[in-house]
Amino acid sequence: MTMQRVMNEMKINAPSIPCGTSLVAVVDLFVKHQINAVPVVNTEHAVIGFVSESDCMQALISGSYHCDKPAIVNDVMSKDVVSVSPQDSIIDTAIRMSKDNFSVYPVVEASKLVGIISRSDILQVLAENNNQCNQMG
């Protein structure tokens, strides 16, 4: 079996959001694209943060209950971004994903966002590999 790479399975036209985006707009993006996390990028398209549904939850609860001023992504995003390279293998990424317990990784090359890869993308490849192995045996 040939080594499968992230570059062949990642979503290339994946959404990202700029700093300063309201959390309401972030949630709209989650719903529209059926994702649960999104990279935050600067004007050069470098990944500077990552925001997930759970990151948004507490701020939106507080905003809804107390009618606080609307939170923006900068307030809740994780600044310690864990990313993968397009050259990384699917198997290595799957192992890392299960250890980190992340559901999405930004795919970064030369400090720029080039896509995202999700747990479901990885699971689909692993399932296909299992089917191929079963047909061979």
Side-chain angles (χ1 to χ4, degrees):
M1 188 147 327
T2 61
M3 186 182 327
Q4 294 155 307
R5 304 240 175 242
V6 167
M7 72 174 88
N8 302 113
E9 306 302 330
M10 67 185 191
K11 292 177 182 69
I12 296 171
N13 295 319
S16 62
I17 52 171
C19 285
T21 303
S22 76
L23 293 189
V24 172
V26 173
V27 172
D28 288 343
L29 191 74
F30 291 159
V31 172
K32 179 181 178 185
H33 292 279
Q34 297 180 324
I35 55 176
N36 63 8
V38 66
V40 181
V41 296
N42 64 17
T43 54
E44 289 82 40
H45 218 57
V47 179
I48 58 166
F50 207 72
V51 64
S52 69
E53 288 174 330
S54 58
D55 295 329
C56 296
M57 187 72 73
Q58 191 62 42
L60 288 173
I61 289 170
S62 179
S64 296
Y65 186 76
H66 299 291
C67 289
D68 293 340
K69 82 171 193 175
I72 59 173
V73 70
N74 310 46
D75 299 331
V76 301
M77 71 181 186
S78 171
K79 293 178 180 94
D80 295 326
V81 180
V82 178
S83 63
V84 295
S85 161
Q87 302 299 325
D88 290 349
S89 82
I90 290 293
I91 295 294
D92 290 343
T93 304
I95 292 167
R96 197 168 152 198
M97 192 173 269
S98 58
K99 285 181 184 174
D100 293 343
N101 201 27
F102 292 145
S103 60
V104 180
Y105 283 128
V107 183
V108 176
E109 186 170 49
S111 300
K112 304 279 187 248
L113 179 68
V114 295
I116 62 171
I117 191 155
S118 69
R119 183 179 291 143
S120 59
D121 297 328
I122 302 271
L123 284 170
Q124 187 173 2
V125 173
L126 296 176
E128 288 168 7
N129 288 351
N130 273 273
N131 279 339
Q132 288 177 5
C133 289
N134 290 338
Q135 291 172 0
M136 294 165 82

